Amino acid sequence: AKVAAGMRMLRAVGRAIYSAGGVLDLTGFGGTPIRWHSGHSTLRTHHRGESTLRKSNGEPRPSRATRMFCQTDRDFGRANWDFGRARGTARLSICDSDNEKDDADPAIDGDCGVFPDGATPEGRILRVVRSVFSDLDVPRHLQKPFNPILGETARHELQLVGGCKVKSVIEQVSHHPPITAFHCDGDGDWVIRGYFQPRPRLLGVHAVEVEMLGRRMWEVGPRDGREIYESDYCGFVWKFLPRMKTKIAPQTWFVECKQHGLRAEVTHGSKRSIKGRVFNVLKPSETLFAIDGAYDSCVFVKEPSTTRVHVLYDAEEAAAAEEVEADVAFELPGDEKSSERVWGSVIDAMNRGAWDEAQAGKRRVEETERKERRRRKDAGEGPWRPRFFEDVDGDWVLRRLGAEPRGAPPSPDQ
């Protein structure tokens, strides 16, 4: 029954994509079988989506948010900055994944040397690249999140062992096209913010490729000397034939710091392999560092001018680190568009195995959203204004009047 429902959905998606010219806005498509949903909205995917990568013991690795925030805090948290130094010369500690050479690993040739210092712009852009690697993952097959309604919000707090509390606010700022904005604050030591827009397209009848449009920014360093590193996203492919699987789409992503004129580009190949390099945008033909490896195991960085090779990212080591004390998804009092209130009854029915009830609840949410969209159009209302974010020259930025990330409320046993 699940396969038959899936084939009916694929045929419906194919017809809709054909009529839309090859690219489908899935916010207007309600044909996904309820059993193919992951039990949370797109706004919660980064924090709640189950990883498809596995630890050595077979257990799922931590969520993408946990991995990325922990890695960012290891590299850019307050404990790793020497505030006694003059502005612009702060040093970052050498991190756990800056391992010594493994003589048994043929991928590492020559002397290992010391990982590029965080006091240099080159060392810092490599650390942001490492943060992106920690975030790389694909959704589980047939685990599609719910399409968020316009204005839907989510709040989250991740408390790390070292004391850092990462507070996040997320909002669906547009429905057509579907754009989600987010702002994640690591106790003021660093910020990751940006927006994303999934754009699916059908690849024949055997797969769906989901391109991820948008930008994200890492704001790192002391407050009086913040640096901004910009990056784009990796899309993925859901394959249905000849067998079902999910993989990162072959593509190139970047990290760039315009303040220092540095750029990193990384290209995905087959079997989770990657190759990339860091270069100065004024001298694009000269490679400062070469990047090579596999994003689900080890990634190495090499200085072309020497024989030194360093471990940039060790996925197994990062997954094994126990660095989270509390992981809380919550809503603000009176927020009628919080993700929990919008989808709570649907998720509850799914957890009870009441699939017909869950499907009916999902349809009610989607139909209510369509009616509200028609009402705004018939009333001649102007562009909808998000509550927490504003569009500043194409960049979605958090408003500072009551919208800043807040901590989770205390638990009942506290």
Side-chain angles (χ1 to χ4, degrees):
K2 186 174 183 179
V3 173
M7 293 307 296
R8 287 194 297 271
M9 186 204 74
L10 282 179
R11 287 192 290 271
V13 170
R15 289 192 297 270
I17 289 181
Y18 180 80
S19 63
V23 177
L24 177 63
D25 178 3
L26 286 185
T27 58
F29 179 74
T32 305
I34 191 64
R35 293 173 184 261
W36 284 28
H37 279 288
S38 54
H40 54 74
S41 166
T42 296
L43 273 65
R44 291 288 187 200
T45 298
H46 198 229
H47 297 90
R48 288 289 180 257
E50 182 179 329
S51 174
T52 58
L53 305 177
R54 292 292 183 265
K55 299 180 182 180
S56 57
N57 61 5
E59 296 179 356
R61 293 181 182 177
S63 70
R64 290 168 52 205
T66 297
R67 301 197 309 260
M68 185 171 73
F69 294 160
C70 287
Q71 186 64 62
T72 301
D73 196 64
R74 281 197 295 267
D75 282 340
F76 295 107
R78 187 173 308 170
N80 290 329
W81 285 92
D82 182 352
F83 291 94
R85 294 177 177 268
R87 175 178 175 178
T89 61
R91 294 177 63 87
L92 291 171
S93 66
I94 300 302
C95 302
D96 293 341
S97 57
D98 305 331
N99 299 326
E100 296 181 356
K101 174 186 174 183
D102 182 357
D103 292 322
D105 193 336
I108 306 182
D109 299 319
D111 299 327
C112 185
V114 178
F115 188 82
D117 197 337
T120 67
E122 294 82 3
R124 291 194 290 276
I125 195 171
L126 282 170
R127 282 163 167 78
V128 176
V129 170
R130 174 159 61 192
S131 184
V132 175
F133 279 127
S134 68
D135 183 53
L136 289 177
D137 207 339
V138 292
R140 290 180 58 196
H141 205 278
L142 304 185
Q143 289 290 293
K144 178 183 177 295
F146 300 125
N147 298 322
I149 68 170
L150 185 62
E152 184 178 332
T153 63
R155 301 275 182 159
H156 190 270
E157 180 182 296
L158 194 70
Q159 183 171 341
L160 307 184
V161 171
C164 176
K165 292 183 179 180
V166 186
K167 302 169 185 176
S168 302
V169 55
I170 311 144
E171 182 178 12
Q172 191 70 11
V173 296
S174 173
H175 200 268
H176 291 279
I179 299 176
T180 306
F182 61 90
H183 185 105
C184 311
D185 191 316
D187 266 351
D189 296 344
W190 51 265
V191 168
I192 302 176
R193 62 176 181 83
Y195 65 97
F196 61 87
Q197 174 193 337
R199 188 170 69 173
R201 66 186 183 95
L202 196 65
L203 303 178
V205 296
H206 67 281
V208 171
E209 179 180 10
V210 181
E211 181 182 9
M212 297 298 293
L213 307 178
R215 289 290 186 270
R216 51 187 167 177
M217 311 288 186
W218 275 255
E219 298 180 2
V220 302
R223 293 180 184 271
D224 61 347
R226 280 280 162 105
E227 295 176 346
I228 298 177
Y229 294 82
E230 179 181 351
S231 176
D232 57 355
Y233 295 92
C234 275
F236 60 91
V237 176
W238 263 324
K239 295 193 71 174
F240 301 98
L241 298 172
R243 64 185 181 89
M244 292 187 176
K245 66 177 182 178
T246 313
K247 67 174 186 176
I248 288 182
Q251 62 194 291
T252 299
W253 50 267
F254 74 90
V255 173
E256 184 172 48
C257 179
K258 295 181 179 178
Q259 291 155 283
H260 296 293
L262 293 175
R263 184 179 176 94
E265 293 184 350
V266 177
T267 301
H268 287 259
S270 60
K271 298 182 178 179
R272 298 177 176 173
S273 66
I274 59 93
K275 285 186 178 295
R277 67 190 188 104
V278 177
F279 58 93
N280 189 308
V281 295
L282 298 179
K283 300 178 181 179
S285 62
E286 298 181 13
T287 297
L288 301 176
F289 294 95
I291 301 171
D292 191 14
Y295 74 85
D296 65 330
S297 55
C298 272
V299 178
F300 305 99
V301 60
K302 180 178 181 180
E303 300 174 70
S305 60
T306 70
T307 59
R308 292 178 176 176
V309 178
H310 322 275
V311 176
L312 176 62
Y313 179 65
D314 185 327
E316 183 60 33
E317 178 187 89
E322 298 292 339
E323 299 180 82
V324 176
E325 287 188 350
D327 185 345
V328 183
F330 64 99
E331 61 181 277
L332 295 181
D335 188 353
E336 295 297 329
K337 286 201 171 184
S338 72
S339 194
E340 284 70 26
R341 294 201 182 193
V342 172
W343 300 103
S345 62
V346 180
I347 296 171
D348 177 68
M350 292 175 66
N351 291 337
R352 290 186 283 107
W355 298 110
D356 291 342
E357 180 183 339
Q359 184 72 52
K362 172 176 172 282
R363 287 173 179 165
R364 281 195 300 272
V365 172
E366 294 168 340
E367 184 55 35
T368 299
E369 175 66 11
R370 295 188 187 102
K371 287 181 178 179
E372 175 61 16
R373 189 164 63 248
R374 290 193 294 268
R375 184 200 66 76
R376 289 195 301 267
K377 181 179 179 180
D378 294 342
E381 295 183 3
W384 183 83
R385 185 176 184 267
R387 288 179 293 165
F388 300 137
F389 290 85
E390 58 184 337
D391 186 349
V392 180
D393 298 327
D395 182 18
W396 287 97
V397 179
L398 186 71
R399 303 179 195 275
R400 286 299 179 181
L401 298 176
E404 64 275 359
R406 307 180 193 179
S411 60
D413 58 346
Q414 290 181 324

